[in-house]
Amino acid sequence: MRHTLPIAPQFYVTAPQPCPYLDGRMERKLFTALQGDNSTTLSDALSHQGFRRSQNVLYRPSCADCNACLSARIDVSRFQPSKTQRRLIRRNTNLQRRTTSPWATEDQFDLFRRYLDSRHAKGGMADMDIFEFAAMIEETPIQSRVVEYNDVTSHELIAVSLTDVLRDGLSMVYSFYEPEMTRNSLGTYVILDHIEIAREAGLPYVYLGYWVPGSKKMDYKASFSGLEVYSGGCWRKMDDPTDFEAERHPLSTDPIAEQVANISLPDTRAPKL
């Protein structure tokens, strides 16, 4: 009798490049392809271990001498909006949410370009054209949605979030918004609204991407109550951001082979009849 072994995903490491969060540091990522019939199962399993999705790839920071990036999520049951956040929700009552399939539009791209030119003119996405933008939005092998926010009076597109629907929550893959509306703190507002979406859907978590201690770009994530970070192979409550320090020494990360060996993969074998 011939036996067939389950096909395990293959993991790779990117070449080092300048870190966008900490000056003078180099980043690299551990990644695997997301494809085939088991994409949803693999995405759920690896997202629970700190991985993020970008199109057909799941990745996690794996820097040679730094372990500062911590995957962050909000426990919806423990979240309580602050006075500032409640005021922010009231300030954006003129916005109407609309959820669609992952399909790129010209209005989205125009807003995306304004956002990049204002906020991330020197970032890795600065030269992205409309075809690359469409690929970012549309190339997804799992259940994804585009959440749009429009002004109820002018119908102008104000903010957009590309969001994955996981088994245990919503994963905010990428968000962008009108850069001129600084008073509305749209980035924070979109997260607040996703917490409400998750609560309405009975989903326990909202995944925010990475939080980096010491990075001013990431400080806003620490302002959400109910925050958890993936550290030391498990999710830990973050009641005080000062409890977590950026680990930036040569022995702060395990060798790649050990990292891969410690990843828990889902059993995708067909059940026995």
Side-chain angles (χ1 to χ4, degrees):
M1 181 181 295
R2 186 173 65 181
H3 297 275
T4 301
L5 294 175
I7 300 175
Q10 302 298 303
F11 289 87
Y12 308 91
V13 180
T14 62
Q17 59 184 7
C19 176
Y21 305 119
L22 298 174
D23 292 338
R25 291 280 167 174
M26 301 295 287
E27 72 162 3
R28 67 179 185 181
K29 296 182 177 72
L30 179 68
F31 69 96
T32 187
L34 187 61
Q35 57 190 1
D37 296 336
N38 299 313
S39 293
T40 298
T41 303
L42 182 63
S43 177
D44 282 336
L46 295 192
S47 294
H48 200 265
Q49 298 170 73
F51 280 75
R52 297 282 292 165
R53 184 184 71 84
S54 177
Q55 295 174 238
N56 297 316
V57 167
L58 290 171
Y59 69 91
R60 188 172 71 183
S62 180
C63 304
D65 58 356
C66 180
N67 197 25
C69 293
L70 303 175
S71 187
R73 70 183 186 185
I74 296 170
D75 181 344
V76 173
S77 66
R78 294 195 302 116
F79 172 76
Q80 293 294 331
S82 65
K83 183 182 298 185
T84 299
Q85 290 168 342
R86 290 195 297 269
R87 186 164 55 245
L88 184 59
I89 292 172
R90 293 193 297 269
R91 188 174 297 161
N92 287 286
T93 53
N94 63 310
L95 297 183
Q96 184 177 50
R97 181 207 308 153
R98 175 174 175 264
T99 305
T100 71
S101 299
W103 188 256
T105 67
E106 290 186 8
D107 285 345
Q108 292 171 9
F109 181 68
D110 290 342
L111 177 61
F112 176 72
R113 286 298 343 157
R114 293 198 301 275
Y115 172 78
L116 285 186
D117 292 344
S118 175
R119 299 296 182 91
H120 304 286
K122 296 181 180 180
M125 293 182 171
D127 297 326
M128 186 178 288
D129 61 27
I130 192 168
F131 301 105
E132 293 167 321
F133 173 77
M136 179 182 77
I137 297 293
E138 298 174 8
E139 290 185 8
T140 170
I142 65 173
Q143 185 180 6
S144 302
R145 295 290 184 268
V146 170
V147 185
E148 297 183 340
Y149 298 86
N150 294 272
D151 186 284
V152 295
T153 302
S154 67
H155 305 293
E156 181 182 359
L157 184 62
I158 302 299
V160 176
S161 176
L162 174 61
T163 302
D164 289 346
V165 183
L166 306 177
R167 180 186 59 195
D168 67 345
L170 301 176
S171 178
M172 300 180 67
V173 178
Y174 193 78
S175 300
F176 52 96
Y177 45 85
E178 182 56 60
E180 298 300 323
M181 297 176 63
T182 55
R183 185 171 178 271
N184 293 69
S185 299
L186 291 168
T188 296
Y189 172 73
V190 170
I191 294 174
L192 291 169
D193 191 61
H194 272 66
I195 295 172
E196 185 60 28
I197 296 172
R199 181 177 286 120
E200 293 170 354
L203 295 170
Y205 300 108
V206 174
Y207 289 82
L208 302 181
Y210 295 105
W211 174 69
V212 182
S215 170
K216 292 183 178 179
K217 294 180 181 179
M218 295 293 186
D219 282 349
Y220 72 96
K221 294 183 181 180
S223 68
F224 291 89
S225 63
L227 196 70
E228 299 179 352
V229 294
Y230 191 76
S231 176
C234 64
W235 290 95
R236 299 167 58 189
K237 295 179 182 179
M238 192 180 78
D239 296 318
D240 185 350
T242 60
D243 291 339
F244 296 86
E245 296 182 359
E247 296 185 19
R248 290 174 281 182
H249 58 79
L251 300 180
S252 60
T253 57
D254 294 328
I256 293 296
E258 291 185 22
Q259 293 182 42
V260 173
N262 289 329
I263 294 172
S264 179
L265 297 173
D267 187 351
T268 58
R269 293 172 296 184
K272 295 180 180 179
L273 299 178

